Amino acid sequence: MKNKAGANRLESILWVLSGGIGVIFLFLGLGFLILPEVFAIAFFAEPARAVGINSLRGDFGALFLGMSFFCLLGTLTSYRWLLLVPIVFLGFVITGRLISFAVDGLPMVMAGTLISELMFLTVLILYLIFYSLKSDSQSSSPVLKVLYSRQFLVIAGIVIVLVAGAFMSHRQIATRLWEKVASGRISRQNVFGELPDGLHVGLAGTGSPMPDAKRKGVCTFVKAGKHLFIVDSGPGSTLNLELMQIPLGDIDAVLLTHFHSDHIAAIGELMLKAWANGVRKNPLKIIGPEGVDTVVNGFNQAFSFDTKYRHAHHGDAVAPLEGAGGTPETIKVFNEDKGTVFFQTNDLKVTAFLVDHRPVEPAIGFRFDYKGRSVVISGDTLPCDSLRHQAEGVDLLLHEALQPEMLRVMNQAGAASGREVVANVSMDILTYHTFTEEAARIARDANVRHLVLFHIIPPTPAAVFQSAFVGNSKKYYKGPITFGVDGLLFSMPPNSTKILKKWFL
Amino acid sequence: MKTKRILIIVIALFVIGVLIRLGLPAVMTGMGLHKEYEGQRYLLSQGKALIITTSHDRLGDGGDKTGVFGSEMTIPYYEFREGRMHVDVASIKGGELPIDPKSFIWFIKSEHDDRFLADPVFQGKVKNSLKIDDIDFTKYDIIFLAGGWGAAYDLGYSKVLGQKITEAYAAGKVIGGVCHGLLGLLLAQDENGHPLVKGRKITAVTDKQINELGISITPQHPERDLKAAGVEFESATAFRDMFANHVVIDGRIVSGQNQNAGAEVVNLMMKVAGGTRR
């Protein structure tokens, strides 16, 4: 009698614990499904590319929801043997973690998680063992019988041997794989060259001076037929251009909108990479408003040692001295409405126009027209009529965007925690940037086909904040609004209305 | 049976309560109170705006508390700020300016009032409002006169205010306001020394609204006194005038009938001052 009462109590405890585990998995699964990036932080699993959010929602969400489903089903129904499913999953999760500790040589930060997983596994196994002991052999599930069968054990043994073998010959596999990866990378360089004729606009940096884990400093590339332009060169963006396999040696010119750090900090690296990796025979042309010579000469001077080293090391074949550095070229925009056309061929026209980023003066934006397709890049600006005028009827408007409400919260948090610099800067920048909803109204007024928001302020660490950032914009502008992310490519075939959005990073 | 009936009544009351709490503000907005401004907005980058309010805090002697109508100060403040302007707040006597507590009743207050109630910077400006005597109005691009019942006691009687507005107008600045605030124009003069409001098209609170609300104890009434000063008075009407809305531009003077006109008046003032569409 006493034994039975004790057994019953133990069973209820195990029932509660297993149910609790199911609920925890449910919470994690829903978390990954709804707020993937937030939950990924807890698991040190933020995706390296923005598109990785897809796998977070899909794969991670499915893993936890699946475990939860079978855990709860096993607990709440009489099909107790269903607990085998989360047990198997947990077993593999733990195996994976242990392998990682052994192989990856990283600090064991996930040890805490491992311990809780081990605890979960213990509870579920205990419950299952308890169940199979309690129920006599006839009612025991056929599934459990399969587990003890010879065939199953043989297959499991083979799998274990294969995995162990793979890890023992880790180095050989890695070396083989590297050959494939390396040759693949080198030969992939043609992807950009194989883009069909048209106007292509790629986002290589969509951030601002505020640190943003997802976004490099402002940088956009524009490929129009055979011509290639880079607009602005914000910190870190050259790396993105390289990852996107942009042939830096083929750049016609780098265009600068103004000289704030988040638009020019990577010029030195861009000039160097275009020269030493792209084998340029002449310096990179860098076009910008008055003052561009000071900026470019400064970078030339700062990189003059590196130029000498590279030439001394690689010689003329890779780093011919005459191609090093950059040459500045000043654009003067006199007519506020019309702007200045500074590059023109039969098919392509590039226009610079004034924007309002006071006290930064002059600050300019650019418009590209190629075979009936067009894009306007705002640079940094308040809402201004010259941009509205230039953007009239364009296919694509890349407009800088600041969300004042989100910034206001940051300001108040900064003030509350005594971080006055945060509080002051977050208020000051309101006066020379465009609010998201204003960008939408400009897109509406100018009959733009597609609005792309970039130069995102404040940094939005997770996709869930996008809707807050966009705010009421959709009320004003009915066309598509893309929240800019590094790696997006917009392709516009000649003389059509299509705008194809691709992933290019 | 009896307990069941009581339960049903309690639940019904609760549901009705929730519906009123959630629905009444929307109904008020739907009728026209603080209706969202959907017209063109403007910005005046690097510009400065001055909001002026009353310092008078009582209706009659020892009557109900009053002051500036909350939203007639908060809506302009935030619209100017979103128009990238620097905004100062001043009052006739300076120091902490009085806000009409009725304007913050839950079904009357606007979302800008809520914002104010959570904004330490703006609250600081209200606690330590500038005294108009100490300010050079010509340093501002825009002078905005907020209303509320308190304004009927001091704005139209302040010679200092009259003088300062005269100077600002002569310096080419944009002057405007809503509701009782426009009484502040009464003592101002134009470039030729004539009364500024004479022969001008201006709107403000109507006598009808004052009668409807039953508050005629104040010494000045905008419609009556502006008309007496030679204004070509304009207004709109509704089944209650507090839901009506009307805005008039006459040269550099922009006026709004009541609290519902704040956002429109502010944006038109920035437009007249040379602002950019935003």
Side-chain angles (χ1 to χ4, degrees), chain B residues 5 51 55 71 93 116 148 186 210 268:
Chain B
R5 193 175 295 165
I51 296 176
S55 291
S71 64
K93 290 184 186 158
F116 161 72
L186 282 174
I210 285 167
L268 292 175

Side-chain angles (χ1 to χ4, degrees), chain A residues 25-245:
Chain A
F25 287 153
L26 180 67
F27 170 73
L28 289 170
L30 290 176
F32 270 105
L33 198 66
I34 298 165
L35 301 168
E37 287 146 311
V38 178
F39 276 73
I41 289 168
F43 284 79
F44 295 88
E46 297 112 300
R49 304 269 186 278
V51 276
I53 190 173
N54 190 284
S55 303
L56 284 181
R57 283 193 214 268
D59 296 342
F60 279 72
L63 170 71
F64 286 111
L65 285 176
M67 287 207 281
S68 163
F69 180 79
F70 285 107
C71 198
L72 289 175
L73 205 62
T75 312
L76 299 175
T77 67
S78 57
Y79 302 112
R80 212 63 85 211
W81 50 270
L82 284 175
L83 291 178
L84 202 59
V85 176
I87 288 176
V88 169
F89 270 101
L90 275 171
F92 284 128
V93 167
I94 289 166
T95 315
R97 286 202 195 284
L98 291 174
I99 290 175
S100 170
F101 287 147
V103 176
D104 292 333
L106 291 169
M108 294 167 70
V109 280
M110 300 306 283
T113 323
L114 179 71
I115 288 167
S116 26
E117 281 156 0
L118 278 171
M119 282 174 2
F120 293 171
L121 185 68
T122 314
V123 168
L124 295 178
I125 288 180
L126 275 179
Y127 199 12
L128 204 62
I129 289 174
F130 183 85
Y131 166 75
S132 34
L133 288 180
K134 201 181 135 202
S135 51
D136 44 30
S137 52
Q138 318 141 4
S139 70
S140 144
S141 151
V143 177
L144 290 180
K145 282 184 195 153
V146 170
L147 275 189
Y148 305 129
S149 71
R150 193 175 298 158
Q151 291 99 316
F152 180 82
L153 291 176
V154 169
I155 293 172
I158 292 174
V159 170
I160 289 171
V161 168
L162 280 177
V163 171
F167 277 101
M168 283 165 75
S169 50
H170 209 223
R171 214 186 105 205
Q172 285 87 331
I173 294 177
T175 314
R176 284 278 169 78
L177 210 58
W178 176 245
E179 286 167 16
K180 293 244 165 175
V181 169
S183 61
R185 261 194 205 167
I186 303 295
S187 59
R188 199 170 82 97
Q189 224 147 32
N190 277 328
V191 176
F192 183 82
E194 282 163 8
L195 284 174
D197 185 28
L199 183 60
H200 304 274
V201 180
L203 308 181
T206 53
S208 73
M210 295 172 128
D212 188 332
K214 294 263 166 61
R215 295 185 167 81
K216 305 282 193 237
V218 179
C219 179
T220 312
F221 69 81
V222 177
K223 182 177 190 281
K226 290 195 174 110
H227 296 286
L228 174 61
F229 294 92
I230 307 289
V231 180
D232 284 333
S233 183
S237 62
T238 303
L239 193 68
N240 265 351
L241 289 174
E242 288 175 293
L243 288 170
M244 292 164 101
Q245 313 276 352

Side-chain angles (χ1 to χ4, degrees), chain A residues 347 369-374 395 494-496:
Chain A
D347 295 323
D369 287 275
Y370 179 73
K371 294 189 178 171
R373 307 310 303 268
S374 50
D395 291 299
N495 305 315
S496 110

Side-chain angles (χ1 to χ4, degrees), chain B residues 224-237:
Chain B
R224 185 191 72 193
D225 292 71
L226 285 168
K227 274 180 174 167
V231 166
E232 274 188 45
F233 191 83
E234 288 189 12
S235 64
T237 191

Side-chain angles (χ1 to χ4, degrees), chain A residues 469-489:
Chain A
F469 191 94
V470 173
N472 277 331
S473 304
K474 291 191 167 139
K475 195 173 104 186
Y476 300 109
Y477 175 64
K478 303 297 177 206
I481 301 177
T482 296
F483 187 70
V485 182
D486 295 8
L488 280 180
L489 176 75

